[in-house]
Amino acid sequence: MTDPFQLTEDQLAIQEAARRFTADAITPHAAEWDEKHVFPKDTIKTAAELGFAAIYVSEENGGIGLGRLEAALIMEAMAYGCPSTSAFISIHNMASWMIDRFGSAELQAKYLPRLVGMDWMASYCLTEPGSGSDAAALKTTAVRDGAEWVINGTKQFISGAGENDLYLTMVRTGEDGPKGISCLAIEKDMPGVSFGAPERKLGWHSQPTASLILEDVRVPAENLVGAEGQGFSIAMQGLDGGRLNIGACSLGGAQRCLDEALRYTKERRQFGKAIADFQNTQFTLADMATELEAARALLYLAAAKVTAGAPDKTRFAAMAKRLASDSGIAIADRALQLHGGYGYLQDYPVERFWRDLRVHSILEGTNQIMRLIVGRDLLKE
């Protein structure tokens, strides 16, 4: 951004490319993906041809080397068509970036050529059945045995589980707490890797979610991402960007809901005139638009801070994710209400967005944890 209020020409071009891709390849099909639980692999791989699978992977490793604001613009644009599909691509980007940023040269050469083009798809694996918000309490173990790590444990709510090829997995290699956690790259076909049944979810139907089960899985020592004991730090740094992207997906979904509400209220007539002509409707639309723009401004600022490595980047990423996801849920809910009974039908897209956006206040750290991060950081000053 040249100033706090204007995107650069390059950023506008990136945004427009993502919007065109969404209009052509995502929006016309998203309702069917949702209804039939279709995982649109071909569409996702087409996104990779535009560089959207390696947005902030370095150009040296085949990525397009953009910043977090550019990534947010892309995710926001794609979420206008389907928040679920956009979020899946975000998670793949997070995993690819972790290898690019922290992996050895050998590990980068081993995996990034396949991840950049989405010949392989990657998952981020932190949450466990017994450790969600208390992520540092994870129990999955990795015990060193010669030139290998032997892994045992279960990861829960993993996007792409069973379909993806690579799993960036946080495991316990040492003491209790965050300092005993490391990150390992685990391949789908390694002996001992299996998956739970697909989860039956309220939304996010265009991507599979299941548990990752690890039973005496032998992983080469060279698949350690970063240093031993660095895994929790890597996971948290990944989440700074992941939270921005999920917030951006909320913005894109909320913008779609606002646009649908504007269109519907202009067309729907009651008491002899369009319901958009009633002051109550206008007040609701005004609040929706105001909250959306406020959340967008904060998220773009937070993205610039994460790209710059600002000291308060984690706080701002948490603030932006909290505001954008809460606002997205509220805007979707009011858009559905403005549609009346029709909003509750699958014939209209707002019910799908209402379902898809609801989870954004839970994943990538619940919004209660976002408040905790912000509060603790404020009290340090």
Side-chain angles (χ1 to χ4, degrees), residues 271-295:
F271 305 102
K273 60 182 178 180
I275 62 173
D277 292 336
F278 290 99
Q279 192 177 59
N280 179 67
T281 302
Q282 294 169 13
F283 283 0
T284 300
L285 292 168
D287 286 346
M288 293 163 69
T290 302
E291 290 167 23
L292 175 57
E293 292 299 341

Side-chain angles (χ1 to χ4, degrees), residues 2-51:
T2 53
D3 60 57
F5 309 106
Q6 180 61 50
L7 299 175
T8 67
E9 289 186 9
D10 285 346
Q11 289 165 344
L12 290 169
I14 291 163
Q15 183 183 58
E16 180 58 27
R19 286 174 173 173
R20 286 199 305 269
F21 170 74
T22 299
D24 294 340
I26 296 179
T27 304
H29 311 290
E32 181 182 6
W33 297 343
D34 173 72
E35 182 179 359
K36 298 180 180 179
H37 292 232
V38 174
F39 180 38
K41 279 188 173 181
D42 290 343
T43 301
I44 291 169
K45 288 183 178 180
T46 302
E49 295 174 8
L50 298 173

Side-chain angles (χ1 to χ4, degrees), residues 182-241:
S182 301
C183 179
L184 286 167
I186 301 176
E187 297 179 18
K188 175 182 179 179
D189 294 330
M190 288 177 171
V193 174
S194 63
F195 304 93
E199 302 290 357
R200 301 168 61 197
K201 300 171 294 186
L202 175 69
W204 274 30
H205 291 166
S206 75
Q207 58 164 289
T209 304
S211 58
L212 168 66
I213 303 166
L214 306 164
E215 298 175 296
D216 292 326
V217 179
R218 289 187 168 269
V219 179
E222 67 192 39
N223 277 29
L224 182 70
V225 180
E228 187 175 340
Q230 193 183 4
F232 193 76
S233 173
I234 292 171
M236 293 303 103
Q237 290 181 65
L239 284 176
D240 279 345

Side-chain angles (χ1 to χ4, degrees), residues 315 371-381:
R315 182 210 304 177
R371 291 176 173 91
L372 188 64
I373 290 169
V374 173
R376 286 178 173 174
D377 196 61
L378 289 170
L379 290 170
K380 288 193 305 183
E381 293 184 348

Side-chain angles (χ1 to χ4, degrees), residues 340-361:
Y342 291 106
Y344 204 66
L345 303 180
Q346 292 183 1
D347 304 270
Y348 291 79
V350 290
E351 67 83 29
R352 169 168 58 88
F353 282 85
W354 184 88
R355 289 185 287 107
D356 280 350
L357 295 183
R358 181 60 186 84
V359 75
H360 291 193
S361 68

